[in-house]
Amino acid sequence: MNPTTLAALAAFPTLLEAHYAIIPEAHRHWAPRSWDGVPSEAFTAIEQLCHVRDIEIEGYHERFRRTLEEDNPTLASIDSEPLAIERAYGKADAAQVLAEFRIARAKTMEIISQLSDAQLARPAVFEGYGPLTMRSLIHYLCSHDQQHLAGLQWLLGKIDASRVGP
């Protein structure tokens, strides 16, 4: 796997925590009137943290396992909105979620950092994405990370714009 992608994945927990930290405390559960243009899922700041944690563990860890162990598996996409409601993301403790995410990302890095070229080339089919390889999944995870940093920045923009009025 290329070092740039691995470095971005390794740095993400720190970046996620830093981006969350700049959301004003009074706005961590805040939602804009419209989610038009949001580059990530339409989640509040705290909900974004929970989503990233759960997708890492229940999404990508499972997808990685199945791609490495099964012949051309079909990998499920996760419907995040019902999960957010069911698990009451809005009531989560951010410090705990971030700690759990750091552990999950460390496991991810263990899984992906030592893969052989043959393992990186293993095929699968990902619902909503189509055919891919293990390497593709790793790039999609990195892209997902970037979407959520962008989502937090987008929320900051909306928070600031809300001070100006409709």
Side-chain angles (χ1 to χ4, degrees):
M1 197 66 215
N2 72 67
T4 300
T5 300
L6 289 175
L9 288 166
F12 181 65
T14 299
L15 291 171
L16 181 64
E17 188 170 346
H19 278 69
Y20 182 75
I22 61 174
I23 300 286
E25 186 138 353
H27 287 84
R28 291 183 176 171
H29 301 280
W30 178 86
R33 286 185 210 178
S34 169
W35 289 98
D36 290 347
V38 67
S40 63
E41 287 81 0
F43 288 145
T44 65
I46 185 63
E47 290 169 340
Q48 290 213 29
L49 296 184
C50 295
H51 166 77
V52 167
R53 175 202 58 203
D54 288 351
I55 291 300
E56 186 88 6
I57 297 166
E58 296 169 35
Y60 281 93
H61 286 177
E62 180 65 9
R63 293 172 190 140
F64 292 157
R65 183 194 65 74
R66 291 192 60 214
T67 301
L68 291 170
E69 294 176 4
E70 299 176 23
D71 290 330
N72 205 33
T74 297
L75 309 172
S77 186
I78 295 174
D79 190 358
S80 300
E81 288 181 26
L83 211 57
I85 294 165
E86 175 187 318
R87 297 184 180 173
Y89 280 1
K91 296 179 182 176
D93 175 75
Q96 179 180 346
V97 173
L98 287 164
E100 291 165 352
F101 177 71
R102 281 189 181 278
I103 292 166
R105 181 50 60 95
K107 180 178 178 183
T108 297
M109 297 309 295
E110 284 178 34
I111 294 167
I112 67 175
S113 62
Q114 302 301 317
L115 295 175
S116 68
D117 287 338
Q119 288 172 311
L120 288 167
R122 288 190 57 83
V125 177
F126 189 1
E127 289 180 352
Y129 289 81
L132 47 65
T133 63
M134 181 67 171
R135 180 180 280 112
S136 303
L137 278 174
I138 296 167
H139 286 298
Y140 293 156
L141 174 57
C142 192
S143 170
H144 185 258
D145 288 354
Q146 301 307 309
Q147 290 168 0
H148 284 282
L149 293 180
L152 290 170
Q153 286 291 338
W154 183 90
L155 276 171
L156 282 164
K158 285 291 195 176
I159 290 165
D160 192 64
S162 73
R163 296 181 175 120
V164 189

